[in-house]
Amino acid sequence: MTGILTRGRTGDGGDKPVAVIDVGSNSVRLVVFDGAKRVPIPVFNEKVVCGLGRGLDATGRLHPKGFSMAVQSLQRFAALTDAMGVDDITVFATAAVREAADGPQFVAEVAKKCGLAVRPIPGEEEAKLAAFGILSAFPGADGVMGDLGGASVEIVRLRQGIIAQQATLAMGPIRSPAAGPEAKQTIERHLAGLDWLENARGGTFYAVGGSWRALARVHMNHTGYPLLVTHNYVISAAEALNFSAMIANLSARSLHDVSGISRKRVESVPFAAYLLKRLIEETGVANVTFSASGVREGSLFARLPQAVRDEDPLIAASRDLAWMTGRATADGDTLYDWMTPMFPDEGEREARLRRAACLLADLEWSEHPDYRVEHALLRILRYPLVGVDHPGRAFMGLAVASRHSRVRKTLHDRFLRRLLDDREAGRARATGLAMRLGYTVSGGVISLLEQTALRRVKDDLVLQLPEHADVLVGDVVQRRFKALAKALECTPRVEYFKAAERISA
């Protein structure tokens, strides 16, 4: 993408690590990803809170201590990326450096001492990259994205995956840490000119930024939520309004006692809460979705070819994880196709989750058998997947865990009960039982399933096998086939066909 400088090799870089360094108004962060691909996975992530933008409004300059700390941090980041062999490094700076009178001096100092080319990006570009970050994780996003940084807020109207109106507002918790009268007046003044916000009525507000994610963690702790993953955490607008209003009115002393807020976030959370409240009111959105994907991820997404951008992020991430952890004989696509006739009434969402689960069916094959169920469930619940909500994670986790054995009631009650209803849980278990049968019939060489078929005929579940394969249908296959049929409330039936016959569709 034009406007973002990189050092060293350029191009797609899907097979080599890439680094993004974000010089923000409050913190400086290095993230090394495993490649510039559809769903890059962070392999190293370090943040240093420098406070570059502290006092910016009063002095017009970067905070002196923050200036020195940021340069030192960037020296470390340069040394680390060199040691890691990362030669594709994107470095950008946001509001504080682009606004400060000594911003050019900072850029020159970093170039001299660190060998890094820092580019202060305009607010319009920052907003666009943050929106790309949302679109990378939420294809077809519809509503409003808000990226709350230390000294600026980027607001973008998204219309079914298309970037429409956008604005950069010079405000943030590092400028006005408390949600007092002055901060509230600042927020009202900046929002007053954004008449297009009301066009997002009924959509989603996508909340990007550490302060808003901190607010999400507080809400999770407050409600006893079973999964402490803030990305794609969704709450209704009504609930978010009440909760954010309550948090915005708490004193700093009270916030210190609130579970889920780190000491570094105590100052910023009231501002974040009040701003979220006002944005919900102005937009009329139906829900709030918190996102861990923002400007850094957006800077990588923007450079990808359109064909790669168009890939389903959940399927792409599942393929990558399967490639890293599965056996060479695993084949999630064949497994998915093999069991598809079992689910004639399946919707698009269910089919997508089932495909992702099939890709991950071999995830825990090398674990101790006694721990495969728990590890599969928790790994999928907590892995940095994108393109899937928390109930979707639960469906996939239960399916892959059930491919090994039954999930204990204690695990189900703790992690799944609030995320899946009985029907969804039953469908996930059936998917897992079909996976288990497929691995048993094929001996783990999934390509062999193409010589067999599994289908529903009214109330019968039919397993079709070549005539010569009858010796393979031993006790284990029979038991697992019967368990699958029972889960689907079907009668199991095994049929054999001669080599010259065609498997029934």
Side-chain angles (χ1 to χ4, degrees):
M1 171 151 183
T2 57
I4 296 290
L5 298 186
T6 58
R7 184 181 73 181
R9 182 179 54 79
T10 59
D12 296 345
D15 59 342
K16 295 183 179 180
V18 297
V20 178
I21 298 176
D22 178 359
V23 183
S25 302
N26 190 43
S27 63
V28 177
R29 184 187 292 270
L30 163 67
V31 183
V32 179
F33 296 94
D34 64 348
K37 57 186 183 179
R38 181 60 183 86
V39 184
I41 301 299
V43 296
F44 182 84
N45 190 328
E46 182 173 304
K47 178 182 75 171
V48 181
V49 178
C50 300
L52 271 172
R54 292 193 180 279
L56 178 63
D57 288 343
T59 66
R61 300 178 67 82
L62 298 173
H63 191 275
K65 184 178 178 180
F67 189 118
S68 299
M69 187 181 298
V71 173
Q72 291 172 3
S73 300
L74 290 169
Q75 284 179 305
R76 169 176 163 77
F77 292 168
L80 286 174
T81 51
D82 283 344
M84 294 176 188
V86 182
D87 60 3
D88 185 336
I89 307 176
T90 296
V91 191
F92 56 82
T94 54
V97 175
R98 71 172 171 250
E99 292 181 27
D102 56 345
Q105 179 185 339
F106 174 82
V107 171
E109 187 82 356
V110 172
K112 178 182 177 182
K113 292 187 175 181
C114 311
L116 297 172
V118 180
R119 179 169 184 262
I121 56 176
E124 296 79 6
E125 188 170 352
E126 184 179 358
K128 185 175 182 180
L129 291 178
F132 272 131
I134 287 295
L135 294 178
S136 73
F138 305 91
D142 190 78
V144 172
M145 180 222 72
D147 184 359
L148 175 56
S152 71
V153 182
E154 280 62 50
I155 308 288
V156 178
R157 171 73 169 103
L158 297 168
R159 298 178 183 272
Q160 297 181 349
I162 304 298
I163 297 174
Q165 296 95 334
Q166 63 183 64
T168 296
L169 313 178
M171 61 177 181
I174 204 169
R175 299 182 193 257
S176 308
E182 185 177 341
K184 292 178 179 178
Q185 290 173 9
T186 299
I187 290 172
E188 299 301 334
R189 184 174 70 253
H190 281 291
L191 295 183
L194 304 182
D195 297 337
W196 45 268
L197 286 177
E198 64 183 18
N199 296 332
R201 191 164 301 277
T204 295
F205 182 77
Y206 300 91
V208 180
S211 294
W212 274 332
R213 289 195 298 276
L215 193 64
R217 283 190 290 273
V218 175
H219 188 268
M220 288 174 166
N221 286 326
H222 180 70
T223 60
Y225 193 70
L227 181 60
L228 297 181
V229 174
T230 55
H231 180 73
N232 218 329
Y233 180 59
V234 181
I235 55 178
S236 70
E239 188 170 0
L241 270 175
N242 293 332
F243 186 74
S244 58
M246 177 188 73
I247 295 296
N249 290 323
L250 291 179
S251 66
R253 176 174 295 181
S254 297
L255 285 171
H256 274 292
D257 298 329
V258 173
S259 177
I261 299 184
S262 67
R263 288 185 299 172
K264 294 179 180 179
R265 291 291 181 191
V266 165
E267 290 185 352
S268 65
V269 164
F271 182 95
Y274 183 78
L275 177 59
L276 179 61
K277 172 181 176 295
R278 290 295 296 119
L279 283 167
I280 294 171
E281 292 169 342
E282 290 293 316
T283 57
V285 293
N287 58 73
V288 176
T289 296
F290 296 89
S291 173
S293 182
V295 65
R296 291 179 292 274
E297 291 76 15
S299 69
L300 293 183
F301 186 69
R303 63 190 266 186
L304 297 176
Q306 189 62 49
V308 178
R309 289 192 212 174
D310 290 341
E311 293 177 5
D312 185 322
L314 174 61
I315 302 304
S318 298
R319 287 194 194 285
D320 281 352
L321 181 54
W323 180 84
M324 289 188 291
T325 59
R327 290 172 285 188
T329 56
D331 184 346
D333 292 308
T334 295
L335 186 61
Y336 168 83
D337 292 338
W338 180 73
M339 70 172 73
T340 292
M342 281 177 30
F343 303 107
D345 60 340
E346 187 176 52
E348 183 178 343
R349 179 179 183 276
E350 289 175 325
R352 179 173 176 264
L353 292 174
R354 183 169 60 82
R355 179 181 288 278
C358 285
L359 290 168
L360 298 177
D362 217 26
L363 185 65
E364 299 298 329
W365 72 274
S366 62
E367 294 285 352
H368 189 285
D370 291 346
Y371 296 99
R372 286 175 184 164
V373 171
E374 183 172 353
H375 286 188
L377 175 63
L378 297 184
R379 190 168 188 181
I380 291 175
L381 284 175
R382 297 166 177 173
Y383 192 77
L385 295 168
V386 297
V388 62
D389 57 17
H390 289 188
R393 283 177 178 267
F395 181 99
M396 292 168 56
L398 178 55
V400 177
S402 298
R403 165 257 195 274
H404 298 290
S405 187
R406 185 173 184 83
V407 175
R408 298 193 310 274
K409 185 178 184 299
T410 52
L411 279 176
H412 186 277
D413 290 349
R414 180 179 176 186
F415 295 105
L416 302 176
R417 187 165 299 282
R418 285 183 57 180
L419 298 175
L420 295 176
D421 62 27
D422 290 342
R423 179 188 175 278
E424 292 166 334
R427 184 64 68 105
R429 289 192 191 97
T431 298
L433 290 172
M435 292 177 184
R436 195 174 199 195
L437 176 63
Y439 269 86
T440 304
V441 169
S442 66
V445 184
I446 297 300
S447 60
L448 293 179
L449 291 179
E450 293 176 334
Q451 301 175 29
T452 74
L454 186 66
R455 61 194 180 96
R456 290 183 72 163
V457 181
K458 296 183 179 179
D459 292 331
D460 288 352
L461 183 66
V462 182
L463 175 62
Q464 292 184 309
L465 299 168
E467 191 174 47
H468 66 269
D470 58 342
V471 296
L472 299 179
V473 185
D475 179 64
V476 176
V477 170
Q478 289 281 7
R479 283 191 288 107
R480 292 182 177 177
F481 182 41
K482 289 177 181 178
L484 174 59
K486 182 178 179 181
L488 294 171
E489 298 182 341
C490 290
T491 300
R493 179 157 52 92
V494 178
E495 294 181 348
Y496 299 96
F497 61 90
K498 295 180 181 180
E501 294 178 350
R502 182 184 181 87
I503 296 176
S504 301

